[in-house]
Amino acid sequence: MDPIIIIPTHSKYIDVVENFLQLLKKNWPDCQYDILVSVTGEKVKLRDTKILYCGENSSLIDCVSKGIKNRKNCICILGDMFINSRIDNKKIKSIVNTLVEDEIQYCSLHCVKNYKKEKKYNNYLRHINNLDRYSHNFACFFASNTFVKNELSKFKTDLDFEKGYLYQKENFYYNDHLIVRKNYLNIVAGITKGKWDRINYRKLKKSNPEIKFADRPIQSKKDTVICHIRGGIVHLLPQSMRVFVKRFSEKTWKIKFGVEG
């Protein structure tokens, strides 16, 4: 059985999820996987999309745990991780089939730069090193039912999950935790703390003039530029320097990045 695509979200972001679904339909028209929007907060409706209501106080992790049910695997994508150009479905199908057939427990489908030397799994995937940062993320990932129940469910929130893989000291490569080597899903992250990322919002509007994007505040130019610069250089800095730069930036420009380092 194919994995199910789960979009965990709070009801207050349902307008963003509607945009996500529009772009998925446009740029991944041959997607073969069932899609489920798993919602916490208030009960909401979506046209032509299956919704699972998980309760008012459920976490996003609860939304994934309840959404996967009896499926062996899932693909989890947050609703602000927009698919901004046409996907090569054969390539995605090959990646997913490899993950399923090789019984991979977790795979980040959001490409980030590696900190340790790359250890290739195949042409599309690499092993995650325990010292790699941000390679375990909640934004866009493949996971087995076993991983969701035994590992992901141990954390209270999605941020706790990501923090749980930071600040490690042992140097080893996971056998069954992988990450994509390129941005095969053509993802553009659109929302930062409830606001449109100014740069990525312009990208989305330019590429998709026919879509009316959610009416939300737009991040200031200063905050957007700082976030993009930090994202571009953070992997180049040693741990002590990353923490210093983060704290200096937060104090100087009054912006919160969310996680230490």
Side-chain angles (χ1 to χ4, degrees):
M1 183 182 294
D2 284 333
I4 183 172
I5 294 179
I6 302 173
I7 306 164
T9 188
H10 192 281
S11 57
K12 64 183 179 182
Y13 286 100
I14 204 67
D15 55 343
V16 176
V17 171
E18 288 177 334
N19 289 151
F20 172 89
L21 293 170
Q22 288 175 294
L23 287 174
L24 186 150
K25 184 177 181 180
K26 173 186 176 181
N27 292 319
W28 198 2
D30 42 2
C31 175
Q32 68 187 63
Y33 309 110
D34 295 333
I35 298 171
L36 174 69
V37 177
S38 190
V39 181
T40 181
E42 300 178 359
K43 286 186 176 182
V44 292
K45 293 182 179 180
L46 279 172
R47 203 182 313 177
D48 302 326
T49 304
K50 185 177 180 181
I51 282 188
L52 173 66
Y53 180 59
C54 298
E56 182 178 359
N57 298 314
S58 295
S59 69
L60 294 185
I61 287 178
D62 293 331
C63 290
V64 176
S65 299
K66 294 177 181 179
I68 196 170
K69 293 184 178 179
N70 297 322
R71 298 288 186 116
K72 289 186 176 181
N73 304 282
C74 71
I75 296 169
C76 176
I77 312 177
L78 292 182
D80 64 339
M81 301 295 284
F82 299 105
I83 299 170
N84 196 40
S85 58
R86 185 66 179 259
I87 283 178
D88 184 337
N89 190 56
K90 289 184 179 179
K91 189 174 294 184
I92 297 300
K93 186 176 180 180
S94 175
I95 291 171
V96 173
N97 285 347
T98 296
L99 298 174
V100 172
E101 292 168 6
D102 293 357
E103 298 184 347
I104 300 302
Q105 295 303 297
Y106 172 90
C107 178
S108 171
L109 300 175
H110 181 43
C111 181
V112 299
K113 293 184 180 295
N114 49 298
Y115 287 70
K116 304 302 291 183
K117 183 178 180 181
E118 183 184 52
K119 181 181 178 182
K120 287 176 62 175
Y121 187 80
N122 61 22
N123 287 337
Y124 301 134
L125 303 163
R126 66 174 174 85
H127 291 270
I128 295 176
N129 186 284
N130 193 46
L131 297 180
D132 284 339
R133 297 171 61 79
Y134 313 110
S135 290
H136 287 92
N137 71 81
F138 191 82
C140 185
F141 65 91
F142 167 97
S144 70
N145 194 309
T146 300
F147 182 87
V148 170
K149 291 181 177 178
N150 296 342
E151 182 65 19
L152 185 64
S153 297
K154 294 191 304 186
F155 298 93
K156 289 184 178 180
T157 69
D158 50 305
L159 183 58
D160 289 337
F161 167 69
E162 293 185 348
K163 284 183 175 180
Y165 288 92
L166 296 177
Y167 323 120
Q168 303 299 312
K169 295 182 179 180
E170 295 182 67
N171 183 358
F172 67 88
Y173 292 92
Y174 290 92
N175 290 324
D176 53 8
H177 290 199
L178 308 177
I179 184 170
V180 291
R181 301 182 66 229
K182 294 182 180 179
N183 185 11
Y184 301 114
L185 285 175
N186 302 326
I187 285 173
V188 171
I191 302 291
T192 301
K193 297 183 179 179
K195 297 180 179 181
W196 284 109
D197 176 299
R198 182 176 291 269
I199 293 173
N200 289 345
Y201 181 57
R202 288 181 178 177
K203 286 182 183 178
L204 291 166
K205 290 189 70 176
K206 183 177 180 180
S207 300
N208 310 281
E210 77 283 7
I211 291 179
K212 182 178 180 181
F213 287 96
D215 184 14
R216 287 180 166 267
I218 299 176
Q219 197 178 33
S220 70
K221 292 181 180 179
K222 179 193 76 173
D223 288 355
T224 297
V225 170
I226 291 171
C227 287
H228 277 258
I229 291 175
R230 181 179 181 272
I233 67 171
V234 67
H235 68 284
L236 301 174
L237 304 176
Q239 168 66 16
S240 58
M241 183 61 72
R242 286 196 298 267
V243 173
F244 170 78
V245 170
K246 174 183 180 294
R247 291 176 179 172
F248 176 81
S249 301
E250 289 183 340
K251 183 177 181 180
T252 304
W253 291 295
K254 311 297 182 185
I255 181 172
K256 265 318 247 190
F257 290 110
V259 297
E260 292 296 326

mmCIF file of all heavy atoms in Angstrom, residues 204-247:
data_model
loop_
_atom_site.group_PDB
_atom_site.id
_atom_site.type_symbol
_atom_site.label_atom_id
_atom_site.label_comp_id
_atom_site.label_asym_id
_atom_site.label_seq_id
_atom_site.Cartn_x
_atom_site.Cartn_y
_atom_site.Cartn_z
ATOM 1 N N LEU A 204 6.282 33.074 -5.047
ATOM 2 C CA LEU A 204 5.041 32.329 -5.227
ATOM 3 C C LEU A 204 4.058 33.090 -6.115
ATOM 4 O O LEU A 204 3.435 32.516 -7.007
ATOM 5 C CB LEU A 204 4.408 32.035 -3.863
ATOM 6 C CG LEU A 204 5.167 31.037 -2.976
ATOM 7 C CD1 LEU A 204 4.655 31.094 -1.539
ATOM 8 C CD2 LEU A 204 5.025 29.628 -3.521
ATOM 9 N N LYS A 205 3.920 34.379 -5.877
ATOM 10 C CA LYS A 205 2.984 35.190 -6.660
ATOM 11 C C LYS A 205 3.442 35.310 -8.111
ATOM 12 O O LYS A 205 2.621 35.263 -9.034
ATOM 13 C CB LYS A 205 2.839 36.571 -6.032
ATOM 14 C CG LYS A 205 2.108 36.579 -4.700
ATOM 15 C CD LYS A 205 1.796 37.986 -4.224
ATOM 16 C CE LYS A 205 0.743 38.631 -5.086
ATOM 17 N NZ LYS A 205 0.357 39.975 -4.592
ATOM 18 N N LYS A 206 4.753 35.439 -8.304
ATOM 19 C CA LYS A 206 5.273 35.561 -9.666
ATOM 20 C C LYS A 206 5.067 34.268 -10.454
ATOM 21 O O LYS A 206 4.729 34.306 -11.647
ATOM 22 C CB LYS A 206 6.758 35.915 -9.616
ATOM 23 C CG LYS A 206 7.379 36.137 -10.987
ATOM 24 C CD LYS A 206 8.840 36.551 -10.880
ATOM 25 C CE LYS A 206 9.442 36.780 -12.260
ATOM 26 N NZ LYS A 206 10.875 37.193 -12.171
ATOM 27 N N SER A 207 5.270 33.130 -9.789
ATOM 28 C CA SER A 207 5.132 31.842 -10.462
ATOM 29 C C SER A 207 3.681 31.415 -10.641
ATOM 30 O O SER A 207 3.382 30.586 -11.495
ATOM 31 C CB SER A 207 5.871 30.759 -9.673
ATOM 32 O OG SER A 207 7.239 31.043 -9.556
ATOM 33 N N ASN A 208 2.796 31.977 -9.818
ATOM 34 C CA ASN A 208 1.393 31.523 -9.810
ATOM 35 C C ASN A 208 0.434 32.710 -9.779
ATOM 36 O O ASN A 208 -0.323 32.901 -8.819
ATOM 37 C CB ASN A 208 1.152 30.630 -8.586
ATOM 38 C CG ASN A 208 2.191 29.528 -8.456
ATOM 39 O OD1 ASN A 208 2.118 28.517 -9.134
ATOM 40 N ND2 ASN A 208 3.175 29.736 -7.586
ATOM 41 N N PRO A 209 0.439 33.538 -10.832
ATOM 42 C CA PRO A 209 -0.400 34.746 -10.833
ATOM 43 C C PRO A 209 -1.891 34.455 -10.784
ATOM 44 O O PRO A 209 -2.687 35.323 -10.417
ATOM 45 C CB PRO A 209 -0.012 35.435 -12.144
ATOM 46 C CG PRO A 209 0.518 34.338 -13.013
ATOM 47 C CD PRO A 209 1.204 33.387 -12.084
ATOM 48 N N GLU A 210 -2.273 33.232 -11.141
ATOM 49 C CA GLU A 210 -3.701 32.881 -11.163
ATOM 50 C C GLU A 210 -4.251 32.528 -9.777
ATOM 51 O O GLU A 210 -5.472 32.402 -9.606
ATOM 52 C CB GLU A 210 -3.926 31.702 -12.119
ATOM 53 C CG GLU A 210 -3.511 30.326 -11.580
ATOM 54 C CD GLU A 210 -2.014 30.049 -11.589
ATOM 55 O OE1 GLU A 210 -1.234 30.964 -11.897
ATOM 56 O OE2 GLU A 210 -1.635 28.902 -11.277
ATOM 57 N N ILE A 211 -3.358 32.369 -8.790
ATOM 58 C CA ILE A 211 -3.785 31.952 -7.451
ATOM 59 C C ILE A 211 -3.888 33.152 -6.519
ATOM 60 O O ILE A 211 -2.978 33.992 -6.466
ATOM 61 C CB ILE A 211 -2.812 30.903 -6.872
ATOM 62 C CG1 ILE A 211 -2.958 29.599 -7.658
ATOM 63 C CG2 ILE A 211 -3.075 30.655 -5.386
ATOM 64 C CD1 ILE A 211 -2.040 28.490 -7.216
ATOM 65 N N LYS A 212 -4.974 33.233 -5.785
ATOM 66 C CA LYS A 212 -5.161 34.274 -4.777
ATOM 67 C C LYS A 212 -4.651 33.737 -3.446
ATOM 68 O O LYS A 212 -5.263 32.873 -2.828
ATOM 69 C CB LYS A 212 -6.637 34.651 -4.658
ATOM 70 C CG LYS A 212 -6.886 35.774 -3.663
ATOM 71 C CD LYS A 212 -8.351 36.142 -3.608
ATOM 72 C CE LYS A 212 -8.575 37.273 -2.597
ATOM 73 N NZ LYS A 212 -10.019 37.644 -2.509
ATOM 74 N N PHE A 213 -3.502 34.228 -3.026
ATOM 75 C CA PHE A 213 -2.895 33.733 -1.800
ATOM 76 C C PHE A 213 -3.549 34.345 -0.572
ATOM 77 O O PHE A 213 -4.123 35.434 -0.625
ATOM 78 C CB PHE A 213 -1.388 34.010 -1.815
ATOM 79 C CG PHE A 213 -0.625 33.122 -2.754
ATOM 80 C CD1 PHE A 213 -0.316 33.548 -4.051
ATOM 81 C CD2 PHE A 213 -0.248 31.845 -2.373
ATOM 82 C CE1 PHE A 213 0.368 32.717 -4.922
ATOM 83 C CE2 PHE A 213 0.442 31.007 -3.230
ATOM 84 C CZ PHE A 213 0.741 31.441 -4.517
ATOM 85 N N ALA A 214 -3.462 33.606 0.526
ATOM 86 C CA ALA A 214 -4.122 33.984 1.779
ATOM 87 C C ALA A 214 -3.741 35.403 2.196
ATOM 88 O O ALA A 214 -2.590 35.821 2.064
ATOM 89 C CB ALA A 214 -3.739 32.988 2.881
ATOM 90 N N ASP A 215 -4.730 36.102 2.678
ATOM 91 C CA ASP A 215 -4.539 37.488 3.122
ATOM 92 C C ASP A 215 -3.959 37.488 4.533
ATOM 93 O O ASP A 215 -4.690 37.425 5.522
ATOM 94 C CB ASP A 215 -5.876 38.237 3.088
ATOM 95 C CG ASP A 215 -5.721 39.709 3.437
ATOM 96 O OD1 ASP A 215 -4.574 40.202 3.437
ATOM 97 O OD2 ASP A 215 -6.745 40.357 3.723
ATOM 98 N N ARG A 216 -2.648 37.549 4.607
ATOM 99 C CA ARG A 216 -1.937 37.514 5.880
ATOM 100 C C ARG A 216 -0.887 38.617 5.916
ATOM 101 O O ARG A 216 -0.455 39.114 4.880
ATOM 102 C CB ARG A 216 -1.245 36.153 6.078
ATOM 103 C CG ARG A 216 -2.217 35.035 6.402
ATOM 104 C CD ARG A 216 -1.540 33.702 6.607
ATOM 105 N NE ARG A 216 -2.489 32.786 7.219
ATOM 106 C CZ ARG A 216 -2.614 32.584 8.514
ATOM 107 N NH1 ARG A 216 -1.807 33.223 9.356
ATOM 108 N NH2 ARG A 216 -3.511 31.754 8.992
ATOM 109 N N PRO A 217 -0.445 38.996 7.123
ATOM 110 C CA PRO A 217 0.631 39.994 7.226
ATOM 111 C C PRO A 217 1.882 39.510 6.514
ATOM 112 O O PRO A 217 2.117 38.308 6.397
ATOM 113 C CB PRO A 217 0.869 40.107 8.741
ATOM 114 C CG PRO A 217 -0.365 39.581 9.379
ATOM 115 C CD PRO A 217 -0.911 38.536 8.449
ATOM 116 N N ILE A 218 2.675 40.446 6.031
ATOM 117 C CA ILE A 218 3.931 40.125 5.353
ATOM 118 C C ILE A 218 5.087 40.506 6.269
ATOM 119 O O ILE A 218 5.107 41.588 6.854
ATOM 120 C CB ILE A 218 4.044 40.869 4.015
ATOM 121 C CG1 ILE A 218 2.886 40.455 3.097
ATOM 122 C CG2 ILE A 218 5.381 40.586 3.344
ATOM 123 C CD1 ILE A 218 2.851 41.206 1.783
ATOM 124 N N GLN A 219 6.049 39.596 6.403
ATOM 125 C CA GLN A 219 7.214 39.828 7.243
ATOM 126 C C GLN A 219 7.945 41.095 6.786
ATOM 127 O O GLN A 219 7.995 41.407 5.598
ATOM 128 C CB GLN A 219 8.139 38.613 7.148
ATOM 129 C CG GLN A 219 9.169 38.500 8.248
ATOM 130 C CD GLN A 219 10.003 37.234 8.082
ATOM 131 O OE1 GLN A 219 10.267 36.789 6.972
ATOM 132 N NE2 GLN A 219 10.415 36.647 9.190
ATOM 133 N N SER A 220 8.499 41.828 7.720
ATOM 134 C CA SER A 220 9.234 43.053 7.372
ATOM 135 C C SER A 220 10.445 42.713 6.516
ATOM 136 O O SER A 220 10.967 41.593 6.543
ATOM 137 C CB SER A 220 9.674 43.787 8.639
ATOM 138 O OG SER A 220 10.703 43.065 9.302
ATOM 139 N N LYS A 221 10.912 43.707 5.764
ATOM 140 C CA LYS A 221 12.097 43.501 4.923
ATOM 141 C C LYS A 221 13.293 43.096 5.773
ATOM 142 O O LYS A 221 14.055 42.197 5.407
ATOM 143 C CB LYS A 221 12.408 44.774 4.148
ATOM 144 C CG LYS A 221 11.390 45.132 3.085
ATOM 145 C CD LYS A 221 11.797 46.399 2.359
ATOM 146 C CE LYS A 221 10.759 46.769 1.290
ATOM 147 N NZ LYS A 221 11.128 48.033 0.589
ATOM 148 N N LYS A 222 13.458 43.765 6.921
ATOM 149 C CA LYS A 222 14.592 43.484 7.796
ATOM 150 C C LYS A 222 14.563 42.044 8.273
ATOM 151 O O LYS A 222 15.567 41.320 8.156
ATOM 152 C CB LYS A 222 14.564 44.421 9.008
ATOM 153 C CG LYS A 222 15.696 44.194 10.001
ATOM 154 C CD LYS A 222 15.460 44.920 11.315
ATOM 155 C CE LYS A 222 14.411 44.190 12.155
ATOM 156 N NZ LYS A 222 14.274 44.780 13.501
ATOM 157 N N ASP A 223 13.424 41.594 8.791
ATOM 158 C CA ASP A 223 13.323 40.243 9.321
ATOM 159 C C ASP A 223 13.534 39.201 8.237
ATOM 160 O O ASP A 223 14.202 38.178 8.450
ATOM 161 C CB ASP A 223 11.963 40.036 9.995
ATOM 162 C CG ASP A 223 11.829 40.784 11.307
ATOM 163 O OD1 ASP A 223 12.826 41.382 11.745
ATOM 164 O OD2 ASP A 223 10.729 40.769 11.896
ATOM 165 N N THR A 224 12.980 39.451 7.059
ATOM 166 C CA THR A 224 13.125 38.496 5.959
ATOM 167 C C THR A 224 14.579 38.365 5.528
ATOM 168 O O THR A 224 15.096 37.255 5.356
ATOM 169 C CB THR A 224 12.270 38.929 4.751
ATOM 170 O OG1 THR A 224 10.886 38.931 5.120
ATOM 171 C CG2 THR A 224 12.453 37.975 3.586
ATOM 172 N N VAL A 225 15.251 39.489 5.353
ATOM 173 C CA VAL A 225 16.652 39.468 4.920
ATOM 174 C C VAL A 225 17.517 38.767 5.960
ATOM 175 O O VAL A 225 18.365 37.928 5.621
ATOM 176 C CB VAL A 225 17.163 40.901 4.668
ATOM 177 C CG1 VAL A 225 18.678 40.898 4.472
ATOM 178 C CG2 VAL A 225 16.482 41.493 3.445
ATOM 179 N N ILE A 226 17.308 39.074 7.244
ATOM 180 C CA ILE A 226 18.096 38.452 8.305
ATOM 181 C C ILE A 226 17.892 36.938 8.298
ATOM 182 O O ILE A 226 18.857 36.166 8.401
ATOM 183 C CB ILE A 226 17.726 39.046 9.683
ATOM 184 C CG1 ILE A 226 18.200 40.492 9.775
ATOM 185 C CG2 ILE A 226 18.352 38.228 10.814
ATOM 186 C CD1 ILE A 226 17.686 41.227 10.999
ATOM 187 N N CYS A 227 16.651 36.492 8.185
ATOM 188 C CA CYS A 227 16.356 35.054 8.183
ATOM 189 C C CYS A 227 17.009 34.355 6.990
ATOM 190 O O CYS A 227 17.550 33.253 7.124
ATOM 191 C CB CYS A 227 14.851 34.822 8.182
ATOM 192 S SG CYS A 227 14.041 35.189 9.752
ATOM 193 N N HIS A 228 16.970 34.981 5.825
ATOM 194 C CA HIS A 228 17.541 34.361 4.633
ATOM 195 C C HIS A 228 19.061 34.318 4.717
ATOM 196 O O HIS A 228 19.680 33.314 4.321
ATOM 197 C CB HIS A 228 17.084 35.104 3.375
ATOM 198 C CG HIS A 228 15.739 34.693 2.882
ATOM 199 N ND1 HIS A 228 15.560 33.847 1.814
ATOM 200 C CD2 HIS A 228 14.490 34.979 3.338
ATOM 201 C CE1 HIS A 228 14.267 33.654 1.611
ATOM 202 N NE2 HIS A 228 13.597 34.336 2.523
ATOM 203 N N ILE A 229 19.676 35.378 5.211
ATOM 204 C CA ILE A 229 21.129 35.380 5.360
ATOM 205 C C ILE A 229 21.556 34.325 6.369
ATOM 206 O O ILE A 229 22.497 33.556 6.141
ATOM 207 C CB ILE A 229 21.629 36.770 5.798
ATOM 208 C CG1 ILE A 229 21.446 37.775 4.663
ATOM 209 C CG2 ILE A 229 23.100 36.703 6.212
ATOM 210 C CD1 ILE A 229 21.801 39.197 5.041
ATOM 211 N N ARG A 230 20.857 34.279 7.494
ATOM 212 C CA ARG A 230 21.194 33.287 8.528
ATOM 213 C C ARG A 230 21.063 31.878 7.972
ATOM 214 O O ARG A 230 21.910 31.018 8.197
ATOM 215 C CB ARG A 230 20.301 33.461 9.749
ATOM 216 C CG ARG A 230 20.612 32.470 10.872
ATOM 217 C CD ARG A 230 19.706 32.697 12.076
ATOM 218 N NE ARG A 230 20.033 31.770 13.144
ATOM 219 C CZ ARG A 230 19.520 30.562 13.274
ATOM 220 N NH1 ARG A 230 18.668 30.112 12.376
ATOM 221 N NH2 ARG A 230 19.872 29.772 14.284
ATOM 222 N N GLY A 231 19.973 31.631 7.231
ATOM 223 C CA GLY A 231 19.770 30.305 6.664
ATOM 224 C C GLY A 231 20.850 29.913 5.675
ATOM 225 O O GLY A 231 21.164 28.729 5.518
ATOM 226 N N GLY A 232 21.454 30.910 5.013
ATOM 227 C CA GLY A 232 22.473 30.621 4.020
ATOM 228 C C GLY A 232 23.850 30.358 4.588
ATOM 229 O O GLY A 232 24.679 29.718 3.936
ATOM 230 N N ILE A 233 24.115 30.871 5.813
ATOM 231 C CA ILE A 233 25.472 30.741 6.354
ATOM 232 C C ILE A 233 25.566 29.852 7.580
ATOM 233 O O ILE A 233 26.661 29.464 7.981
ATOM 234 C CB ILE A 233 26.064 32.120 6.711
ATOM 235 C CG1 ILE A 233 25.303 32.748 7.898
ATOM 236 C CG2 ILE A 233 26.053 33.043 5.508
ATOM 237 C CD1 ILE A 233 25.953 34.001 8.442
ATOM 238 N N VAL A 234 24.416 29.499 8.191
ATOM 239 C CA VAL A 234 24.467 28.824 9.488
ATOM 240 C C VAL A 234 25.229 27.502 9.427
ATOM 241 O O VAL A 234 25.931 27.127 10.369
ATOM 242 C CB VAL A 234 23.042 28.609 10.048
ATOM 243 C CG1 VAL A 234 22.251 27.621 9.190
ATOM 244 C CG2 VAL A 234 23.085 28.134 11.496
ATOM 245 N N HIS A 235 25.123 26.788 8.302
ATOM 246 C CA HIS A 235 25.797 25.485 8.204
ATOM 247 C C HIS A 235 27.314 25.625 8.090
ATOM 248 O O HIS A 235 28.045 24.639 8.261
ATOM 249 C CB HIS A 235 25.265 24.706 6.995
ATOM 250 C CG HIS A 235 25.643 25.311 5.681
ATOM 251 N ND1 HIS A 235 25.022 26.434 5.187
ATOM 252 C CD2 HIS A 235 26.591 24.964 4.773
ATOM 253 C CE1 HIS A 235 25.561 26.757 4.027
ATOM 254 N NE2 HIS A 235 26.506 25.885 3.753
ATOM 255 N N LEU A 236 27.801 26.834 7.816
ATOM 256 C CA LEU A 236 29.234 27.055 7.673
ATOM 257 C C LEU A 236 29.919 27.366 8.999
ATOM 258 O O LEU A 236 31.147 27.345 9.080
ATOM 259 C CB LEU A 236 29.483 28.217 6.703
ATOM 260 C CG LEU A 236 28.920 28.066 5.281
ATOM 261 C CD1 LEU A 236 29.119 29.356 4.505
ATOM 262 C CD2 LEU A 236 29.583 26.891 4.576
ATOM 263 N N LEU A 237 29.127 27.646 10.029
ATOM 264 C CA LEU A 237 29.678 28.109 11.297
ATOM 265 C C LEU A 237 29.810 26.977 12.304
ATOM 266 O O LEU A 237 28.954 26.094 12.368
ATOM 267 C CB LEU A 237 28.783 29.200 11.891
ATOM 268 C CG LEU A 237 28.501 30.421 11.014
ATOM 269 C CD1 LEU A 237 27.523 31.350 11.710
ATOM 270 C CD2 LEU A 237 29.801 31.153 10.695
ATOM 271 N N PRO A 238 30.861 26.992 13.144
ATOM 272 C CA PRO A 238 30.950 26.022 14.238
ATOM 273 C C PRO A 238 29.886 26.305 15.278
ATOM 274 O O PRO A 238 29.310 27.398 15.329
ATOM 275 C CB PRO A 238 32.358 26.263 14.808
ATOM 276 C CG PRO A 238 32.683 27.672 14.419
ATOM 277 C CD PRO A 238 32.010 27.902 13.092
ATOM 278 N N GLN A 239 29.615 25.310 16.148
ATOM 279 C CA GLN A 239 28.541 25.408 17.116
ATOM 280 C C GLN A 239 28.631 26.676 17.968
ATOM 281 O O GLN A 239 27.647 27.402 18.133
ATOM 282 C CB GLN A 239 28.558 24.171 18.030
ATOM 283 C CG GLN A 239 27.673 24.258 19.279
ATOM 284 C CD GLN A 239 26.193 24.313 18.949
ATOM 285 O OE1 GLN A 239 25.794 24.003 17.827
ATOM 286 N NE2 GLN A 239 25.391 24.714 19.905
ATOM 287 N N SER A 240 29.805 26.963 18.534
ATOM 288 C CA SER A 240 29.945 28.120 19.412
ATOM 289 C C SER A 240 29.640 29.417 18.670
ATOM 290 O O SER A 240 29.008 30.327 19.209
ATOM 291 C CB SER A 240 31.357 28.174 19.998
ATOM 292 O OG SER A 240 32.331 28.224 18.962
ATOM 293 N N MET A 241 30.076 29.504 17.414
ATOM 294 C CA MET A 241 29.828 30.704 16.615
ATOM 295 C C MET A 241 28.353 30.826 16.245
ATOM 296 O O MET A 241 27.794 31.927 16.225
ATOM 297 C CB MET A 241 30.682 30.675 15.345
ATOM 298 C CG MET A 241 30.539 31.926 14.478
ATOM 299 S SD MET A 241 31.046 33.429 15.334
ATOM 300 C CE MET A 241 32.830 33.181 15.380
ATOM 301 N N ARG A 242 27.683 29.700 15.956
ATOM 302 C CA ARG A 242 26.253 29.735 15.630
ATOM 303 C C ARG A 242 25.445 30.310 16.790
ATOM 304 O O ARG A 242 24.563 31.138 16.591
ATOM 305 C CB ARG A 242 25.754 28.326 15.289
ATOM 306 C CG ARG A 242 26.183 27.818 13.933
ATOM 307 C CD ARG A 242 25.358 26.618 13.511
ATOM 308 N NE ARG A 242 25.517 25.492 14.413
ATOM 309 C CZ ARG A 242 26.407 24.519 14.245
ATOM 310 N NH1 ARG A 242 27.246 24.558 13.236
ATOM 311 N NH2 ARG A 242 26.467 23.513 15.089
ATOM 312 N N VAL A 243 25.742 29.849 18.000
ATOM 313 C CA VAL A 243 25.017 30.329 19.175
ATOM 314 C C VAL A 243 25.263 31.816 19.382
ATOM 315 O O VAL A 243 24.342 32.587 19.662
ATOM 316 C CB VAL A 243 25.431 29.531 20.433
ATOM 317 C CG1 VAL A 243 24.803 30.146 21.681
ATOM 318 C CG2 VAL A 243 25.019 28.071 20.285
ATOM 319 N N PHE A 244 26.534 32.239 19.202
ATOM 320 C CA PHE A 244 26.871 33.655 19.368
ATOM 321 C C PHE A 244 26.120 34.509 18.347
ATOM 322 O O PHE A 244 25.537 35.543 18.675
ATOM 323 C CB PHE A 244 28.380 33.870 19.231
ATOM 324 C CG PHE A 244 28.779 35.320 19.147
ATOM 325 C CD1 PHE A 244 28.835 36.102 20.298
ATOM 326 C CD2 PHE A 244 29.070 35.907 17.917
ATOM 327 C CE1 PHE A 244 29.191 37.446 20.222
ATOM 328 C CE2 PHE A 244 29.416 37.246 17.843
ATOM 329 C CZ PHE A 244 29.479 38.017 18.993
ATOM 330 N N VAL A 245 26.155 34.090 17.076
ATOM 331 C CA VAL A 245 25.499 34.847 16.011
ATOM 332 C C VAL A 245 24.001 34.927 16.258
ATOM 333 O O VAL A 245 23.377 35.980 16.073
ATOM 334 C CB VAL A 245 25.797 34.213 14.632
ATOM 335 C CG1 VAL A 245 24.917 34.835 13.546
ATOM 336 C CG2 VAL A 245 27.266 34.397 14.284
ATOM 337 N N LYS A 246 23.403 33.816 16.699
ATOM 338 C CA LYS A 246 21.971 33.815 16.967
ATOM 339 C C LYS A 246 21.617 34.809 18.062
ATOM 340 O O LYS A 246 20.705 35.632 17.918
ATOM 341 C CB LYS A 246 21.501 32.411 17.367
ATOM 342 C CG LYS A 246 20.035 32.347 17.804
ATOM 343 C CD LYS A 246 19.658 30.963 18.248
ATOM 344 C CE LYS A 246 18.203 30.922 18.683
ATOM 345 N NZ LYS A 246 17.958 31.722 19.892
ATOM 346 N N ARG A 247 22.327 34.736 19.174
ATOM 347 C CA ARG A 247 22.024 35.612 20.305
ATOM 348 C C ARG A 247 22.283 37.077 19.976
ATOM 349 O O ARG A 247 21.516 37.961 20.347
ATOM 350 C CB ARG A 247 22.826 35.173 21.521
ATOM 351 C CG ARG A 247 22.361 33.822 22.074
ATOM 352 C CD ARG A 247 23.238 33.347 23.220
ATOM 353 N NE ARG A 247 22.749 32.063 23.740
ATOM 354 C CZ ARG A 247 23.405 31.329 24.633
ATOM 355 N NH1 ARG A 247 24.579 31.741 25.108
ATOM 356 N NH2 ARG A 247 22.902 30.185 25.048
#
